[in-house]
Amino acid sequence: MEDLLDYLRAHFLAEPELLARSGVSLETLRGWQRAGAAPWPSYRLTLAGEAASCMGVAALSAESAWYPRGMLCWLGQALAWDGDPERLRAGFEREWRAGLAALELPPAEADLPAAWRDFLAGGYGVCTRDGLPAQIAQKEALVSLIDALTERQSRSGLEPAQRERLARAVAWLDAVAAPFAPHERAASSSARCVELTRRLYLMEAA
């Protein structure tokens, strides 16, 4: 549990800190979340235990919500646009396309309605460093490219040009993908597409 809390404190914002730093009230945030204008937390923790001392034993319980640090940027945009879900969704799509354009990859099909739903659910905060649209798009595209080049890490070998392309993709993915929480790391896309791919094809230490 301590490892998880250390990870969250290092890479995420607890909801009270997010609200204090953004200037957004909890009531406003909840309204935006229910309206489909802002993401829900990426992590929710429910802790239960007891405190014991010479004064006796007391049962304790606490809940906390954690958001990616990029949520500050998103809430700033929501404030500027009065929490308008349609404007925010259009902004999400623009940033998504800009993130893909920066990769200079061939155009790829994207299910943007599904991506928007996953973004609002908080899922992308788990797997990208800032939880924002450009990194989300890049992470999805890079995982697809790495899997295609390696046939999902089953290919026996690569030509030099393929290996060079793979090395660039792995380095970029490593820069945008989250480190992942301790209990999620082994099953993460980073473990497979960065660490395993490096060991199998790039002769680098994971």
Side-chain angles (χ1 to χ4, degrees):
M1 179 61 72
E2 283 303 317
D3 286 348
L4 175 58
L5 287 172
D6 287 345
Y7 174 77
L8 293 174
R9 292 178 186 125
H11 299 284
F12 289 78
L13 295 174
E15 192 169 74
E17 183 180 2
L18 174 70
L19 297 175
R21 291 177 61 178
S22 66
V24 172
S25 70
L26 180 59
E27 181 182 9
T28 297
L29 176 61
R30 288 291 182 268
W32 288 346
Q33 289 168 328
R34 287 191 289 267
W40 291 93
S42 292
Y43 289 93
R44 303 170 191 266
L45 267 63
T46 302
L47 306 176
E50 64 179 29
S53 73
C54 63
M55 300 293 290
V57 177
L60 302 175
S61 64
E63 295 184 359
S64 60
W66 299 81
Y67 297 82
R69 292 182 177 272
M71 184 69 165
L72 278 172
C73 178
W74 187 262
L75 292 187
Q77 194 164 277
L79 280 170
W81 290 345
D82 296 321
D84 184 330
E86 291 307 312
R87 290 187 71 184
L88 288 160
R89 177 172 177 165
F92 174 92
E93 294 185 1
R94 282 194 302 273
E95 291 178 35
W96 176 287
R97 293 191 177 94
L100 287 183
L103 292 178
E104 298 182 349
L105 294 176
E109 292 286 331
D111 187 346
L112 282 171
W116 175 244
R117 289 193 299 272
D118 290 343
F119 172 71
L120 291 177
Y124 284 120
V126 173
C127 58
T128 61
R129 290 185 184 269
D130 65 17
L132 293 175
Q135 279 196 358
I136 294 166
Q138 290 169 354
K139 184 259 181 185
E140 295 290 317
L142 290 163
V143 167
S144 295
L145 175 59
I146 291 165
D147 281 346
L149 286 170
T150 65
E151 297 175 7
R152 202 174 170 87
Q153 294 75 44
S154 68
R155 193 166 179 174
S156 59
L158 298 174
E159 298 296 327
Q162 293 171 324
R163 189 176 293 108
E164 182 179 347
R165 190 180 186 204
L166 180 65
R168 290 197 301 270
V170 168
W172 200 316
L173 178 60
D174 200 16
V176 302
F180 286 91
H183 66 286
E184 299 165 333
R185 205 162 291 149
S188 71
S189 56
S190 286
R192 181 170 57 80
C193 291
V194 176
E195 296 169 15
L196 177 60
T197 298
R198 280 178 170 158
R199 288 198 302 270
L200 291 178
Y201 301 101
L202 303 176
M203 303 298 290
E204 296 179 18

